[in-house]
Amino acid sequence: MSKLESLWGAAPMVLIAAALALPPAGVQAHHNSQAEFGAFGSNTIAVEGTIVNVNWANPHISIDIRTTGGELPAGQNWRLVSHPVQIMNEYGFVREEFNVGDRVKLLGWKNVRGAPQIWPRAIQVNDGPMKSNLRFTDMIDIAKGVFESMHIQPAANLNGSPPARAGEETVAKLKEMGLIDEKGLMIWPPR
Amino acid sequence: MRQTLIGALVAALVCIGFFVIEERFDDDDAPAARAEGVAGSRAPISLRYTAEPAEDSWVAGSRGAGADDRVLSSAANSICFLTKIEVKGVQGPEDSGTCRVAVDEFTGFWQVTASVPEGSKSEIRCNARCLVWE
């Protein structure tokens, strides 16, 4: 095959590559964890691992773990991704809690596109408490009546939070349970 | 006698060199012929391209510097390319930002990363697609 024929043969591939590069119309919302990890109320998996790296920085913190058990095969590399630093602090987490070599147990959602990433629902480091990483999921689980049996320490800012992002059904149930105050904010623990 | 042996050795090396060069550069049709030869015994490779992640990787320098990434697909059977670079808020040369597609060695997956350095007030959005073979 001559060089000219080779170039001519490659032309359709160039056109295909250019077509693939055209930007499609798409959702442009930022930092919506549910787009990458599923809805707050969907089922979580339990994972155990060892921390191999901590990236405590904006716009999202991330913690790399090597799995040791739970619902994922041992010996795999997974990245936990979560909130910005300030939000993590408001939820009751600080950088000093996470160190390379620490054992972690967590409940979380896997990336819906099959990437080795998990958004944690709750995290336990070594023998510490299993701490919630999402106040709206706390609200959903409280409304479902399953929260207390999960033995999760609620998000530090759960009390006094506006519940709208937990969904209308959850808000209605929380009102019925007497867990929404006169300003429409979450009451926890129950009075 | 010694000069004859050296001469023979040099001649042999030159012949081997020519043979290697000829194999490498003068056999254009050989790869195609070999590919045709095995075509009947192998399933054809299936190619597809991925959608962009629903959200761009995005950093607004006005809120603070940082790097935001979106995981794309396994580097074992794909190659990824930028499909979007959008920069806003550039007022001066210090307002820089970067879009990058690279393999994350920890996960073995491609990822697209938007980053804004300290001092930059620009906002940068990036996205990517991948060509996957199976």
Side-chain angles (χ1 to χ4, degrees):
Chain A
M1 184 186 286
S2 73
K3 300 281 187 235
L4 187 61
E5 284 172 325
S6 299
L7 287 172
W8 185 246
M13 285 303 290
V14 173
L15 289 174
I16 290 168
L20 294 182
L22 288 174
V27 179
Q28 299 295 321
H30 186 47
H31 297 169
N32 176 1
S33 60
Q34 295 180 80
E36 289 279 301
F37 297 92
F40 287 142
S42 56
N43 291 335
T44 57
I45 59 167
V47 180
E48 295 176 21
T50 304
I51 295 176
V52 295
N53 189 44
V54 179
N55 177 36
W56 200 262
N58 288 319
H60 292 277
I61 68 105
S62 64
I63 299 171
D64 292 345
I65 66 166
R66 188 153 297 122
T67 55
T68 54
E71 294 175 57
L72 292 174
Q76 292 189 343
N77 291 344
W78 284 75
R79 177 163 294 152
L80 315 181
V81 291
S82 195
H83 310 285
V85 171
Q86 185 186 337
I87 304 293
M88 290 300 290
N89 294 340
E90 289 171 5
Y91 274 47
F93 294 95
V94 292
R95 166 67 183 87
E96 290 70 27
E97 287 178 85
F98 302 95
N99 294 295
V100 172
D102 284 348
R103 290 175 288 110
V104 288
K105 287 184 182 177
L106 59 108
L107 302 173
W109 295 274
K110 288 198 290 186
N111 183 292
V112 295
R113 293 183 294 111
Q117 284 188 327
I118 296 173
W119 187 283
R121 157 75 181 91
I123 312 171
Q124 177 182 9
V125 181
N126 296 324
D127 298 319
M130 177 69 87
K131 294 167 67 174
S132 170
N133 187 48
L134 279 173
R135 55 183 166 167
F136 301 112
T137 311
D138 290 350
M139 295 174 189
I140 291 168
D141 289 335
I142 289 167
K144 284 180 182 170
V146 300
F147 185 73
E148 296 195 58
S149 66
M150 295 169 79
H151 305 294
I152 292 174
Q153 182 176 303
N157 56 357
L158 176 62
N159 185 50
S161 285
R165 283 189 66 193
E168 286 178 19
E169 194 180 325
T170 297
V171 175
K173 182 68 180 171
L174 292 173
K175 279 182 183 168
E176 196 181 302
M177 296 166 78
L179 295 174
I180 301 294
D181 68 15
E182 62 282 358
K183 292 178 184 168
L185 303 176
M186 182 77 191
I187 298 168
W188 195 263
R191 288 170 183 159
Chain B
M1 180 64 178
R2 189 177 168 198
Q3 281 184 336
T4 307
L5 282 173
I6 291 171
L9 187 61
V10 169
L13 288 173
V14 168
C15 285
I16 291 168
F18 273 120
F19 179 75
V20 169
I21 291 168
E22 189 180 47
E23 275 290 296
R24 188 157 178 179
F25 294 106
D26 198 31
D27 196 15
D28 285 348
D29 293 334
R34 281 197 290 271
E36 283 166 18
V38 298
S41 60
R42 267 193 198 170
I45 292 172
S46 153
L47 282 179
R48 64 181 173 84
Y49 63 91
T50 63
E52 291 175 319
E55 296 184 296
D56 298 331
S57 57
W58 174 46
V59 180
S62 56
R63 295 186 192 175
D68 184 37
D69 50 58
R70 295 283 172 274
V71 175
L72 298 167
S73 64
S74 171
N77 64 333
S78 69
I79 188 162
C80 302
F81 48 94
L82 283 169
T83 52
K84 178 178 182 178
I85 300 171
E86 184 180 322
V87 186
K88 292 179 183 173
V90 175
Q91 302 290 321
E94 69 281 7
D95 295 328
S96 62
T98 306
C99 283
R100 184 168 186 249
V101 169
V103 176
D104 173 39
E105 300 297 341
F106 179 71
T107 60
F109 272 56
W110 289 97
Q111 63 183 26
V112 56
T113 305
S115 59
V116 170
E118 287 292 342
S120 171
K121 299 293 183 206
S122 68
E123 174 186 324
I124 186 150
R125 289 172 178 269
C126 323
N127 217 325
R129 289 183 182 229
C130 303
L131 194 60
V132 180
W133 54 92
E134 287 157 349

